[in-house]
């Protein structure tokens, strides 16, 4: 079980920026996956950006070019830089992990944070 705590959400006008952070702890293995997901009320949860065990980064089509996922050098903080926010980006953003061991690009996200709200108007 991995502990994930998101922060950095808030309310911002369209065109603005936010930087979300996820403090992660409790990893047993060095090979694991981390990612950001989001969900708007009444809509399906969607993947925003993920980092696989081999370092492969994947972005959802709707956010590619505006969102940037990264990990701190100590690998215990996951970040999501969000630029050029749009109203349709509004939703609850969740940090998630596959605690591993994982290999290649395969991830099965099982551990989730409480989420942080992003509201764009």
């Amino acid at each position: 079980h991995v502990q994930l705590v998101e922060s950095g959400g808030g309310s911002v006008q369209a065109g603005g920026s936010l930087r979300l952070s996820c403090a992660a702890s409790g990893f047993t293995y060095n090979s694991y996956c981390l990612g950001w997901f989001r969900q708007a009320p009444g809509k399906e949860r969607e993947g925003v950006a993920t980092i696989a065990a081999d370092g492969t980064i994947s972005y959802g089509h709707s956010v590619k070019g505006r969102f940037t996922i990264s990990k701190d050098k100590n690998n215990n903080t996951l970040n999501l830089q969000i630029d050029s926010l749009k109203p349709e980006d509004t939703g609850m953003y969740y940090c998630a992990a596959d605690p591993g061991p994982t290999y290649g690009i395969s991830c099965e996200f099982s551990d989730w944070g409480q989420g942080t709200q992003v509201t764009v108007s």
Side-chain angles (χ1 to χ4, degrees):
H1 183 257
V2 175
Q3 296 77 52
L4 305 164
V5 182
E6 303 95 333
S7 62
S11 182
V12 63
Q13 291 192 337
S17 298
L18 285 172
R19 186 172 180 84
L20 309 183
S21 295
C22 170
S25 62
F27 289 100
T28 302
Y29 304 98
N30 289 327
S31 298
Y32 53 86
C33 299
L34 288 170
W36 287 97
F37 295 77
R38 70 183 183 185
Q39 186 171 25
K43 295 184 178 180
E44 181 181 350
R45 185 176 63 193
E46 63 176 337
V48 174
T50 61
I51 302 177
D54 67 350
T56 299
I57 296 175
S58 298
Y59 291 99
H61 292 165
S62 65
V63 305
K64 191 172 184 179
R66 300 186 297 115
F67 289 32
T68 304
I69 189 171
S70 64
K71 292 192 293 183
D72 286 354
K73 293 181 179 179
N74 60 12
N75 292 319
N76 63 4
T77 302
L78 183 71
N79 301 302
L80 185 69
Q81 177 67 40
I82 313 175
D83 298 315
S84 301
L85 278 159
K86 304 175 181 179
E88 53 263 42
D89 294 321
T90 294
M92 186 70 72
Y93 284 69
Y94 297 93
C95 180
D98 176 347
T102 61
Y103 301 93
I105 63 172
S106 297
C107 304
E108 192 72 23
F109 292 96
S110 59
D111 297 347
W112 300 82
Q114 291 182 310
T116 185
Q117 179 69 37
V118 172
T119 302
V120 185
S121 62

